[in-house]
Structures are given as structure tokens and as C-alpha cells.
Amino acid sequence: MDSDSKPPSPLLALPAELIDYILTVLPPTSLATLSQTCRLLHTYCLDEQLWMRHVNSNLPFPLKPASSHRGPLSRYNPSAVRSFRDLYARHHPHWFLPRHRIWFADSGSSGKLLVARYDERTGAVEAYAVTALRGPHIFSLWEYNNDVIIHSFTPQVQLDLNQPVVKLEGWCSEDVGEANPGDTYFAMPRDDGRSRLGEEIRMNLNAPDGLFTSFMLARPLPSSYCPSPGTFVWPPLILPARGRTRNLSLSSYRGTGHKPSSHAEVSETAFRLRRWVEYRSRGEGIGTRMGEHVLTFATLPAEAWTPTAKKPWRGIWCGDYSGHGCEFLVVLQPDKPGPLPVGALTRRSESFSSTSSYASAAEELLNGNGEIDESAVEEDAPTPATSSSTAGLTPGSSTGPSSLSDGAEGAGGAEAEIPDDPDDIYHGRIEAIKLTGDPNVPCGEYTFIAPDIGPAGFVRTAMEAPFRDKATGQGARVVKSVGHIAARGFRDDEYIPSQLVLIDHDRMAQYWEPFGHISFYQRVDVDALLRFGIT
């Protein structure tokens, strides 16, 4: 049978509506491959609605085609791209950056938090550092306990728009032929036959002369690999992740084991930046390259930090760390929490023995397996506190009212009666992990944990200022927690008894008992950062 007498594909015999529906479930690379099979399917695969859907699936705020021009960027730059298909090809395979939005780095103890977005004004995928100004710093004494100092905290969180950390301008349509996502620059083999996915992209960041940054795709660890606690991976094992990658390399990540060779090996949850300084003499010549270092960035699953009706405290938060300034953390409310850190179960160290000796605020709630001991909590009664707690004690004293004791009252305080919970939001654990850190407790470490915000951890309802809602008169729930502290260089880290004040779903406070200090935490509005660059 010759080629002219071959029957048409059964796919082509289907009604146009069914073909359109089938194409909606294909990924972009499959659409690109299918478009090369015949003219009719090529026409179907050019449908702008298909490609607009794929572009917008990676963006929190969908793009729309302009009314007067065909291209999605025609309001700003009509010549930037011709179609949504062209736009998708331009930034393939980097769409995972704006899709995940939040990225954090392993840059020493301080870390770095980025928000990635697609800028339709420039047609570039960009990521900017998130910064915070702590605002006016006002000290006041706690009405409930005059020995405790409260620091006001009204941070202004914003993106540092002066200079992007990442700027991927994409590939011009002239460079990729007809801008087929299956034929982009990254799919073209190099002269030596190796994939271009492992190549580094030098970015134009408007940096000072001599300072350079290149972007690298990362390769994830195999799904079958189970890293041990001592393995150098990013993100750290205490953070939820769909994938991890190594963040230690003797070859500065130049080895083939760190670079993807196919699209299946591209990590969509991590990437790297290489930075260096290059000095050149006047005129042309070989420069001297110095100070090179590589940062590995990772993201978090959106469901881990997106608040829900039952888990309203999940999110990205900004905290007040006094002399260290503002730091960013992710607050998790895990559905299936694992064992608490070993340090959270031990008694406090001798470094505070001048006051008294007491057990961790979490210890009395836990059994030998590091889980909440429900038998220790009476069903209709508040949880008794350990008699050795030093909350409310002055230095050198051995007795005094404890803010954790049953029925404890203070100025504006309420008895520790467990309130009704009509919304059932007070249950489970709250974990706060630093995304940026300081020389004492670095990024990627716990900063505080409330083992149970339900009946087992309930302390009281705080009716005093600044925790009482002025409009409704409603008080704030206070629960037991442990705070993570360490000496400089993250030495001798330990967990100390604390109390977490759940003021509302966007604001919390942490009472660090041994320090007699209360600090505040405020939710970061990620959507506002994406839209306006400021909260």
C-alpha cells in the first residue's frame, strides 16, 4: 500500500471539539511534538487558548491577551513576543520559578529569601530579595507581668527592587526558529553532543563592573535516595519538600552529576547561582577571577505554607529578633507531625541555673516517643503546669506566681479555662523554621515550636493589652512552646520554655520566659509583594 492510500489517523477522524479537549490535557512539550506530525494537528496546536492556559498555570495572576494586539505583552512592548506560544517557548524550562514564588538560599547563617515573578513590562522572569524595616521601636512593660519587656513591632516588608537577584530574559524567537517549546535553545545539542541544560546563563543584573552572576539549573536527588541527617542537602530535612538537591560540591558544581542532561533530570524545586568578581586591566585581555561562590536555592510546597480554614497560621512570617533585626520564617501546621527535636525534650541547661531549674515547656506533654501524651490531659480541665517553671519569677527568687499555673491571673489576665472551639482550629502543632537567620541560630533551623495548641498546651486567654482585640474585646489564646537559642556559631543550642500568644491569624507573639522578653511575628502578604513589591 503506497503512502497516498494510507487511511488517516483515527485521531484526525474525531470531531474538532474532541481533538481540542484531548489537547488540553497534554503537557507543553507533548503539544510541541504533536504539532510536528502533520499540518492539521499543527494548526490545532497553535491555538492561543492552549498556550495561554500553560503560561497562566505558572503565574499567580493570569495574563490576558491585549485587545489591540495579538501578543500578551502588547500593552507594554508589542514586539516582545508574538503569542502565548512564543512566550512559553521564550522561558522554557524556567517557568517553575514564578510558579513556586518563594525561594530561599543556603548562604551561610543569614540566608536569603526571594520572591520570583514574571514581569510583563519587561518580559523577563525575575526574582528579588525580600527585606524588612522593623519600624518604630517602642518598649513597654507587660501589664500581666511587669518584669517582662514588650518590644513593639510594625515591620514594613518589601522587595529590594533596586537590583534583581535573578533576571532571565529568555530566548528571542529569532534564536529558536519558530519558538517551538520542543525546539528551544535548551533542546539543541551542543557541538560535543552534550545537553545545553547544564550550561550556565550569565545574567544582566545591572551589577557594579566586575561583579558577575550566572544561573544554573539543578539536578535533584533520586526519589529512591533517603538522605541521612548528616547529608548536605537543600532544603534541610526538617522542611517539607517535593525534592532535594546536594549543596556541597568539591568541584563547585561543575561536575556532570550536578547538571541535568535531559528535561526529566531538571529539578523544579531548586536552582543555583554562581557569583564571582573578575578584574581586568585596561583594554582587552584575560581577567583574574576571584571570590567565586555558589548559592543553592530551594522552594517549599505551596500547600505547606498556604493557610486553610483548619490551619490558619500556616504562612511566611516576619519576626523581630531584636539586635539581629527582622528575620523571615515559615510557620508550619503539619497534618502528620514527626517526633519533636531531641533538644526540645531535655531540661534547661545550667546557663540559666541562677534563676532555678525547670523542665522544658514541652516535656510534660510528651511520652517516651516524643508524642503528645493524651492521658496527661484531663478531658474537661486545663493542663497543670510544672511547679518548677520560672515564669513570673524575679532573678534569685524561688517562689512566685507562674504564668503557666492553673487559674493564674494577672492584670487583665483570665483564668486558664479551656475555651470552646467552635471552629476546631486549635489543634495540632505549630512549627516555625527560619528561612533567614543570624549568627546564633542560622537559616534552616527551628526558632520555636508549640507542641500542641489544643487543650494539652493551653495556658490561658490573654485579655491584657496588647493582646486583646480592641474592637471585639476578644482575648488571645496562650499556649506552651519552646524557643530555640544558641551561642554564636550555633554552638550549644538548646530549647527553652516559652509561651506562644496567638493574637490573630496574621500576628503572633513569643514569650521567652528565661529572658523576660516578648517578641512579635507578623504574616508576610506574598501576593502583595508580587503585585506591588511592598506589603
Side-chain angles (χ1 to χ4, degrees):
M1 182 182 293
D2 56 37
S3 60
D4 295 336
S5 60
K6 286 183 179 180
S9 167
L11 177 63
L12 301 180
L14 295 175
E17 294 81 2
L18 285 180
I19 296 178
D20 286 335
Y21 177 77
I22 292 171
L23 297 186
T24 61
V25 300
L26 293 181
T29 51
S30 296
L31 272 179
T33 302
L34 186 63
S35 69
Q36 300 175 6
T37 58
C38 71
R39 292 181 181 179
L40 180 59
L41 289 178
H42 180 75
T43 302
Y44 276 110
C45 293
L46 288 177
D47 185 1
E48 272 292 89
Q49 293 299 318
L50 288 174
W51 293 103
M52 183 171 68
R53 186 181 299 112
H54 285 302
V55 169
N56 287 334
S57 67
N58 296 290
L59 305 177
F61 310 111
L63 297 176
K64 296 180 180 180
S67 57
S68 57
H69 298 85
R70 185 187 179 198
L73 302 185
S74 56
R75 286 175 295 170
Y76 304 106
N77 186 0
S79 64
V81 290
R82 300 189 299 263
S83 64
F84 276 99
R85 181 172 175 271
D86 187 12
L87 174 59
Y88 191 92
R90 184 186 182 106
H91 291 294
H92 177 72
H94 300 138
W95 284 108
F96 65 88
L97 275 81
R99 184 197 318 147
H100 293 303
R101 295 173 286 174
I102 295 294
W103 299 88
F104 55 99
D106 63 344
S107 54
S109 61
S110 60
K112 184 183 287 289
L113 179 65
L114 305 182
V115 167
R117 65 185 184 181
Y118 171 73
D119 190 339
E120 57 181 318
R121 296 171 300 178
T122 62
V125 171
E126 301 173 341
Y128 292 90
V130 185
T131 63
L133 300 175
R134 69 179 327 280
H137 201 180
I138 301 174
F139 298 86
S140 61
L141 296 179
W142 191 10
E143 183 181 352
Y144 184 78
N145 183 345
N146 288 332
D147 293 329
V148 176
I149 299 174
I150 296 178
H151 300 249
S152 65
F153 188 54
T154 54
Q156 182 179 358
V157 181
Q158 59 190 10
L159 299 182
D160 182 4
L161 297 176
N162 294 317
Q163 184 176 337
V165 179
V166 175
K167 185 175 183 180
L168 300 172
E169 298 175 293
W171 306 104
C172 298
S173 57
E174 291 79 6
D175 296 334
V176 294
E178 296 181 359
N180 192 330
D183 293 334
T184 57
Y185 176 85
F186 286 104
M188 301 175 185
R190 303 193 324 179
D191 294 338
D192 56 9
R194 291 189 296 173
S195 171
R196 293 187 183 273
L197 292 168
E199 290 187 351
E200 301 184 19
I201 303 172
R202 185 177 294 191
M203 298 181 293
N204 180 17
L205 301 179
N206 298 320
D209 291 342
L211 182 61
F212 299 94
T213 304
S214 63
F215 176 93
M216 296 182 286
L217 293 170
R219 188 173 183 172
L221 291 172
S223 57
S224 59
Y225 179 73
C226 296
S228 63
T231 307
F232 289 91
V233 296
W234 197 253
L237 297 180
I238 64 173
L239 283 168
R242 292 196 181 94
R244 304 182 197 276
T245 189
R246 291 190 178 275
N247 68 333
L248 179 67
S249 171
L250 298 179
S251 64
S252 193
Y253 303 97
R254 290 186 171 87
T256 56
H258 296 289
K259 299 178 179 181
S261 59
S262 66
H263 286 290
E265 294 179 348
V266 173
S267 172
E268 294 197 341
T269 59
F271 67 90
R272 295 189 175 96
L273 298 180
R274 186 188 306 278
R275 291 176 171 173
W276 71 94
V277 177
E278 194 167 308
Y279 297 98
R280 292 180 182 272
S281 59
R282 291 183 178 272
E284 298 182 359
I286 299 176
T288 302
R289 190 162 174 162
M290 301 177 60
E292 179 180 296
H293 67 284
V294 177
L295 300 180
T296 300
F297 287 82
T299 189
L300 296 165
E303 61 271 17
W305 58 271
T306 302
T308 65
K310 298 295 184 180
K311 308 281 187 178
W313 285 282
R314 285 176 174 170
I316 307 299
W317 293 68
C318 180
D320 179 14
Y321 286 83
S322 191
H324 296 301
C326 300
E327 296 181 21
F328 296 102
L329 49 145
V330 58
V331 172
L332 307 174
Q333 291 186 266
D335 294 321
K336 297 179 180 179
L340 286 169
V342 175
L345 309 181
T346 58
R347 290 182 178 274
R348 60 170 254 197
S349 72
E350 295 302 320
S351 58
F352 294 106
S353 58
S354 60
T355 310
S356 68
S357 178
Y358 56 85
S360 163
E363 185 178 5
E364 62 184 280
L365 305 179
L366 305 171
N367 56 30
N369 297 324
E371 300 174 345
I372 297 296
D373 185 1
E374 299 293 345
S375 63
V377 183
E378 296 183 17
E379 184 173 354
D380 296 319
T383 303
T386 54
S387 60
S388 57
S389 171
T390 61
L393 299 180
T394 57
S397 67
S398 58
T399 60
S402 169
S403 61
L404 296 178
S405 62
D406 291 341
E409 292 188 24
E415 290 191 357
E417 296 179 357
I418 301 175
D420 295 333
D421 186 13
D423 298 323
D424 192 29
I425 62 172
Y426 297 113
H427 66 277
R429 184 189 300 177
I430 285 182
E431 302 175 352
I433 302 171
K434 289 188 174 186
L435 299 180
T436 62
D438 54 63
N440 294 79
V441 179
C443 60
E445 296 290 343
Y446 288 110
T447 182
F448 64 80
I449 303 172
D452 190 350
I453 63 172
F458 179 75
V459 177
R460 67 185 183 95
T461 299
M463 299 299 296
E464 70 275 12
F467 306 130
R468 182 180 66 253
D469 190 307
K470 295 181 180 179
T472 64
Q474 183 177 357
R477 185 182 184 91
V478 183
V479 297
K480 296 178 183 179
S481 66
V482 289
H484 199 186
I485 64 171
R488 193 174 184 87
F490 197 48
R491 293 179 294 103
D492 304 323
D493 69 301
E494 61 178 319
Y495 291 85
I496 62 174
S498 304
Q499 296 178 32
L500 184 63
V501 185
L502 304 174
I503 303 173
D504 56 44
H505 297 167
D506 297 323
R507 195 166 174 84
M508 298 184 294
Q510 172 85 343
Y511 171 31
W512 305 79
E513 294 180 16
F515 298 148
H517 170 82
I518 291 178
S519 54
F520 286 87
Y521 301 85
Q522 183 166 302
R523 182 186 298 278
V524 175
D525 189 341
V526 176
D527 286 345
L529 289 177
L530 288 167
R531 284 184 179 273
F532 313 113
I534 193 170
T535 61

